[in-house]
Amino acid sequence: MAQVMVNFRMEESVKKSMEQACREMGLSMTTAFTIFATKVGREKRIPFEITARPHASEPCPQNGAVDAGESCGEEGLVLAGKQEQLEILCTEIRRPLTSIHTAIPASITGLSMERIRLLCGDELKDKAAGVSGAVRALFSDRNAKALREKDWSVLDEYLDGLSAAAGELGEIERALVPILKSWSGGDAGCFEDYERRLAKVSQRLDGLQTIMRRFWQSSACGYGSAQAVQARIRRAAASVQTAYVRTALEHLETLVLRHYDALESRTREHLESYYLQTLELTLRELGQAERRSGDTGPNAALCLRTVNVLSQVISSGSQAGRELSERGLEAEVTALERLAAMRGDIAERAGAEP
């Protein structure tokens, strides 16, 4: 799925208040706004009441069995957002499988096409149904209390893996279905690559079972630690194959484990709110470019730039904290706007004819 960067201005006090609330819920601001945008897009409404007069909140159930889908308290809201994202991704996985399977004409034969039929009609379809069942069970009433005692960063890893599978299936569908619908005969060897890609998606879905088991075996942990940041970097880099980018990321992980917990709180805040999220975005775009087998140079270069910024800030320690403390909201917005402009420039040059 294509990713875009969105920049907008708000009062500094509002921003700080939301960042603090998001940290306490184990969310980034990006995730919080994504949850909001997803619900608005699906429901065509603001997903909460807007009123000129304050009103008393509804009391939470006293038996402790709070439905994960209810917005009762901060934890309930976070879990509802994760449930929403997972359900959307389950739908985005099932849809392309049905689209591909129904588009296959009977006239196409060969081992690759038979394997594609099997993958889309049975194997992947069954695994997608298994994922949907796991998500329903995860957010059932009987698991509401247990969910609050788990490490939600592992659930984020599951969500990222499911998102990558859905994105890959969507790309396969957009490329393969037009070929199937216009097929008039010829060498069926052109379908071998699609067979391999679908098989990799099948393997990715198998891996999700391991992540789900890790989630149920986990226990709640704090956010903002060196280990949590390292886990975010590894999740973001999971699909990246470019060797020199992976080497740079390994060096960054070493710096994180060595220096991160000693950084000033404001420095960690800026790293997690801005630069780490930018790294995650650029790594995702590099992974997509690699899957398209196009020119990955510009995307890899941008990843290295972002890694370099993170490395410099972490290595500088308290000096970085002082410098960041002296920068006002306007300076931060300007820096992000420049980064967005740089990313747009690189994307344009990547798509230009040589």
Side-chain angles (χ1 to χ4, degrees):
M1 293 174 284
Q3 302 288 322
V4 296
M5 178 175 282
V6 179
N7 291 322
F8 55 90
R9 299 172 186 266
M10 66 173 67
E11 292 291 334
E12 184 174 11
S13 60
V14 175
K15 171 179 167 292
K16 288 182 177 180
S17 176
M18 182 173 181
E19 284 176 337
Q20 178 63 30
C22 286
R23 278 197 301 273
E24 293 173 359
M25 292 186 290
L27 287 173
S28 65
M29 286 185 68
T30 297
T31 302
F33 280 121
T34 299
I35 293 171
F36 175 80
T38 300
K39 288 188 71 65
V40 170
R42 289 188 65 186
E43 300 177 8
K44 304 294 188 262
R45 67 180 184 88
I46 302 298
F48 48 80
E49 183 180 4
I50 299 176
T51 177
R53 293 181 298 174
H55 58 279
S57 300
E58 292 294 327
C60 292
Q62 297 302 311
N63 59 8
V66 180
D67 188 337
E70 294 293 330
S71 299
C72 187
E74 293 179 348
E75 288 184 338
L77 181 61
V78 174
L79 287 173
K82 293 185 187 299
Q83 180 180 9
E84 179 94 8
Q85 289 179 289
L86 286 167
E87 289 175 349
I88 291 172
L89 289 171
C90 287
T91 300
E92 291 181 352
I93 282 180
R94 293 192 300 268
R95 185 193 54 75
L97 290 175
T98 301
S99 175
I100 294 170
H101 189 254
T102 56
I104 300 175
S107 59
I108 305 180
T109 58
L111 292 177
S112 292
M113 184 50 62
E114 290 305 315
R115 176 66 173 145
I116 290 174
R117 282 194 179 95
L118 179 64
L119 282 163
C120 294
D122 294 296
E123 184 175 318
L124 279 169
K125 182 180 178 182
D126 290 344
K127 291 180 180 180
V131 169
S132 296
V135 170
R136 286 195 299 272
L138 181 67
F139 294 99
S140 63
D141 291 345
R142 61 186 178 87
N143 289 329
K145 183 177 180 180
L147 284 178
R148 288 161 170 75
E149 301 172 353
K150 302 301 177 183
D151 181 356
W152 293 353
S153 67
V154 182
L155 187 57
D156 287 337
E157 185 178 346
Y158 185 92
L159 197 153
D160 289 343
L162 193 61
S163 177
E168 177 68 3
L169 283 173
E171 291 181 8
I172 294 172
E173 177 200 15
R174 287 188 290 273
L176 180 56
V177 169
I179 297 174
L180 294 172
K181 290 184 175 180
S182 62
W183 181 258
S184 59
D187 182 14
C190 63
F191 298 111
E192 292 179 0
D193 180 59
Y194 296 107
E195 175 199 351
R196 286 192 292 269
R197 291 173 66 182
L198 287 167
K200 287 183 179 179
V201 173
S202 182
Q203 294 172 358
R204 187 184 291 275
L205 292 180
D206 287 337
L208 291 178
Q209 298 178 25
T210 302
I211 298 175
M212 184 60 74
R213 284 195 295 270
R214 281 174 44 215
F215 174 71
W216 282 119
Q217 294 166 1
S218 71
S219 58
C221 65
Y223 291 86
S225 66
Q227 289 73 21
V229 172
Q230 180 190 39
R232 283 182 64 177
I233 294 172
R234 289 187 172 181
R235 286 199 302 272
S239 63
V240 172
Q241 302 297 324
T242 303
Y244 57 89
V245 172
R246 297 195 68 88
T247 299
L249 290 169
E250 290 173 4
H251 175 66
L252 176 60
E253 287 183 31
T254 301
L255 289 175
V256 167
L257 294 176
R258 185 179 302 164
H259 301 296
Y260 195 81
D261 288 338
L263 295 177
E264 295 181 358
S265 59
R266 183 168 174 80
T267 303
R268 293 199 301 269
E269 174 186 334
H270 280 75
L271 282 168
E272 294 191 33
S273 299
Y274 301 142
Y275 301 110
L276 193 56
Q277 289 182 13
T278 301
L279 177 63
E280 290 170 332
L281 179 58
T282 56
L283 287 171
R284 186 180 299 119
E285 290 175 341
L286 175 57
Q288 292 171 347
E290 289 174 341
R291 289 195 296 272
R292 291 192 298 268
S293 300
D295 179 13
T296 60
N299 298 96
L302 186 54
C303 285
L304 291 180
R305 287 194 211 177
T306 310
V307 168
N308 184 52
V309 170
L310 275 161
S311 299
Q312 289 178 358
V313 174
I314 292 171
S315 299
S316 299
S318 59
Q319 176 62 26
R322 288 194 297 272
E323 291 174 357
L324 287 169
S325 296
E326 294 167 0
R327 296 169 64 184
L329 179 61
E330 287 297 322
E332 290 292 350
V333 172
T334 300
L336 289 173
E337 289 175 344
R338 287 176 179 171
L339 179 58
M342 180 183 71
R343 292 181 64 254
D345 178 60
I346 288 178
E348 290 173 4
R349 286 191 281 110
E353 293 294 331

